[in-house]
């Protein structure tokens, strides 16, 4: 039996030619960009955002500092630091300036308005996105037209309608009006979002015996969570900062203005004459502004990532 001479293994891409040194580990190859280096100009957007951050933060810091001052300190040195920390002014603002009642009314109205808006918009958007029917396109364009309709043109007929329903100067009337004005954008946003969701999952659920409600609540709603969070945050911010509608539909009922929401209450306090009677009355106004901004900041900090995901989901899919 003859033995064949041993053969050398075939050269691989890792083997370097004889006489030439192997490249060091981590060394960049010719024609390729070095790994781990930032492209030029990558820090430019951060530099451009720095002035914008100052524009946003400086007024917030000034309001916070002014809420801890007396009237004399605010008028004599508006941009200086407070002489001492007067945290009791927040308690005075909550009780004496009636900020607590304004805050409670705002929470009730915004919670009801956002809940009603989400309930109606999510069902309407799902049907318009998944079950087209005769006239659905026209209805969709009518909702889009509602986004362009200025609220100022609807003030007089809106007051007449709310009065005829017996809901004038009530929280329920504000809830219904808030939901009506928030529906067009919510339906427009969620309709586009539902169209991006995969239809195969719904079809597989139907084949497994699920009904329309089961597919909607068990399949589609969990998939649409980023979009629901995004539009929910937008509605909370928009309804929390609403001023014109409550100013027209929720006039003063008593001397305490206990039926006002925060935007109305703060405006009434700023224009009132009672700020000459207390040495810390202006500080109570600034404390009320801080109290009104805290829920908005908390909502944004908690849900900013979900909002970004919801806004980019349609583009990525």
């Amino acid at each position: 039996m003859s033995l064949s001479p041993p053969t050398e293994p075939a050269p691989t891409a890792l083997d370097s030619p004889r006489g030439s040194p192997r490249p060091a580990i981590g060394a960049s190859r010719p024609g390729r960009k070095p790994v781990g280096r930032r492209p030029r100009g990558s820090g430019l957007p951060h530099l451009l955002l720095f002035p914008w951050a100052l524009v946003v933060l400086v007024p917030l810091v000034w309001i916070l500092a002014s809420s801890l001052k007396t009237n004399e300190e605010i008028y004599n040195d508006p941009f200086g630091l407070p002489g001492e920390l007067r945290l009791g002014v927040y308690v005075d603002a909550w009780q004496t300036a009636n900020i607590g009642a304004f805050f409670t009314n705002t929470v009730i109205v915004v919670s009801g308005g956002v809940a009603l808006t989400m309930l109606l918009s999510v069902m309407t958007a799902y049907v318009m996105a998944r079950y087209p029917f005769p006239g659905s396109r026209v209805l969709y364009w009518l909702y889009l037209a509602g986004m362009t309709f200025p609220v100022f043109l609807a003030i007089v007929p809106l007051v007449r309608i709310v009065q005829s329903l017996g809901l004038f100067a009530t929280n329920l009337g504000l809830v219904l009006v808030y939901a009506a004005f928030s529906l067009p954008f919510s339906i427009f946003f969620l309709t586009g979002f539902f169209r991006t969701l995969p239809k195969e999952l719904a079809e597989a659920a139907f084949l497994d015996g699920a009904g329309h409600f089961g597919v909607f609540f068990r399949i589609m709603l969990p998939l649409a969570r980023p979009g629901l969070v995004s539009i929910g945050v937008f509605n909370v911010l928009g309804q929390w900062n609403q001023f014109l509608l409550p100013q027209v539909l929720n006039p003063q009922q008593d001397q305490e203005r206990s039926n006002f929401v925060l935007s109305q209450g703060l405006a009434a306090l700023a224009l009132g004459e009672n700020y000459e009677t207390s040495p810390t009355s202006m500080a109570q106004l600034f404390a009320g502004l801080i109290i009104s901004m805290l829920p908005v900041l908390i909502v944004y900090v908690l849900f900013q990532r979900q909002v970004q995901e919801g806004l980019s989901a349609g583009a990525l899919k």
Side-chain angles (χ1 to χ4, degrees), residues 157-168:
L158 191 61
V159 171
R160 299 281 182 87
I161 293 173
V162 174
Q163 286 177 339
S164 63
L165 295 175
L167 299 176
F168 192 71

Side-chain angles (χ1 to χ4, degrees), residues 128 132-144 191 195:
M128 296 183 68
F133 54 90
S136 61
R137 196 67 180 173
V138 176
L139 184 61
Y140 179 74
W141 286 109
L142 286 177
Y143 280 117
L144 290 184
T191 300
R195 287 173 180 170

Side-chain angles (χ1 to χ4, degrees), residues 17-101:
R18 295 181 179 178
S20 60
R22 294 185 179 182
I25 297 177
S28 59
R29 297 183 180 181
R32 294 190 179 183
K33 294 182 179 180
V35 181
R37 295 184 180 179
R38 283 187 173 185
R40 293 181 178 179
S42 61
L44 183 60
H46 296 83
L47 294 178
L48 296 178
L49 289 176
F50 182 74
W52 175 253
L54 290 179
V55 171
V56 174
L57 291 177
V58 168
L60 295 179
V61 175
W62 179 75
I63 294 174
L64 179 61
S66 299
S67 66
L68 303 175
K69 296 180 179 180
T70 62
N71 287 356
E72 183 179 357
E73 291 176 336
I74 292 175
Y75 293 137
N76 295 335
D77 190 11
F79 298 103
L81 295 177
E84 59 178 325
L85 295 179
R86 301 177 180 88
L87 298 180
V89 70
Y90 286 88
V91 178
D92 296 337
W94 187 267
Q95 298 176 352
T96 306
N98 219 14
I99 298 296

Side-chain angles (χ1 to χ4, degrees), residues 260-311:
F260 276 5
V261 295
L262 267 174
S263 57
Q264 286 180 281
L266 292 175
L269 291 176
L271 299 175
E273 298 178 357
N274 56 339
Y275 282 107
E276 298 299 330
T277 61
S278 173
T280 60
S281 54
M282 286 299 296
Q284 293 178 5
L285 174 62
F286 287 111
L289 291 175
I290 293 295
I291 294 174
S292 67
M293 288 187 295
L294 277 179
V296 177
L297 294 176
I298 292 173
V299 168
Y300 177 76
V301 171
L302 292 179
F303 298 103
Q304 59 175 334
R305 187 179 300 275
Q306 288 82 353
V307 171
Q308 294 174 1
E309 292 177 357
L311 294 177

